[in-house]
Amino acid sequence: MESLFVPTLIVALAEIGDKTQLLALLLAARFRKPWPIIWGIVAATLANHFAAGAVGSWVASFFSAATLSWVLAASFAAVALWTLVPDKLDDDEESGLKKYGPFLTTLIAFFLAEMGDKTQVATVMLAAQYPHFVMVVMGTTLGMLIANVPVVLAGNFAADRLPLTLIRRLAAVAFAALAVYAVYEALKLSGVI
């Protein structure tokens, strides 16, 4: 169950204030149809994170447990720092898609916005760390929904009230804790401790 719960928590925190959350807010304001937007988020996230999780599991097979722990420690530390940087949404990412309706627009925009995003990178790393990549993908998808569905449903009201700086810092602390744990595991697997 750790393969589900840790990714859910990490991604839910990391997603607050992320460009995809800003995209969800923008889509909700433009279309005013929450359910097609929510289903578009689900479909796009599952597709994107399933591919990311498969890559993470595949990459993990090339490294020894100790080497993988060191790589994961460095990656988690980098994402912890990256999480502290606020995201901004380019209007260009969504502007030409509105003609396709709320579901297809959300599906395409979210899939593209997640490419190379910190939550996609986190999914790769978490799938490399945990043995059940399907549970990791379910967890990261659930984390995305926990962060984005309230924004879609509540619109500007919810987004204006969230302490984004505090939440980004909490997400960074969570990634830093994973980095420290990975260092501990690497030292243990290397025989240092």
Side-chain angles (χ1 to χ4, degrees):
M1 293 310 289
E2 187 178 345
S3 297
L4 175 71
F5 292 130
V6 171
T8 299
L9 177 64
I10 293 296
V11 170
L13 286 172
E15 185 62 15
I16 304 290
D18 190 72
K19 69 181 172 188
T20 47
Q21 191 178 48
L22 297 173
L23 178 60
L25 181 62
L26 179 66
L27 290 166
R30 287 196 181 172
F31 286 107
R32 303 204 185 276
K33 294 181 180 179
W35 292 109
I37 294 168
I38 291 167
W39 285 113
I41 292 169
V42 170
T45 303
L46 280 172
N48 193 293
H49 288 198
F50 184 82
V55 167
S57 291
W58 178 68
V59 167
S61 68
F62 290 109
F63 297 104
S64 70
T67 302
L68 183 60
S69 290
W70 285 113
V71 169
L72 288 171
S75 299
F76 281 131
V79 172
L81 293 173
W82 186 7
T83 301
L84 294 172
V85 178
D87 278 328
K88 292 180 177 59
L89 177 67
D90 289 335
D91 285 333
D92 296 342
E93 287 183 24
E94 192 270 333
S95 61
L97 296 174
K98 189 175 179 188
K99 63 184 173 187
Y100 297 112
F103 174 78
L104 196 54
T105 298
T106 303
L107 176 72
I108 294 167
F110 256 77
F111 187 84
L112 294 175
E114 270 297 289
M115 298 302 269
D117 194 54
K118 65 183 163 252
T119 50
Q120 185 190 41
V121 173
T123 302
V124 171
M125 295 181 324
L126 290 162
Q129 182 177 8
Y130 291 104
H132 307 289
F133 99 88
V134 171
M135 295 295 280
V136 170
V137 171
M138 288 173 51
T140 59
T141 301
L142 183 59
M144 288 283 287
L145 294 174
I146 289 169
N148 287 308
V149 168
V151 170
V152 171
L153 294 175
N156 284 329
F157 176 78
D160 291 341
R161 306 273 189 264
L162 291 172
L164 297 180
T165 302
L166 173 63
I167 293 168
R168 268 195 294 279
R169 288 178 183 160
L170 290 173
V173 167
F175 279 116
L178 285 171
V180 169
Y181 179 73
V183 166
Y184 169 76
E185 286 295 313
L187 291 172
K188 196 166 76 171
L189 291 167
S190 300
V192 175
I193 57 170

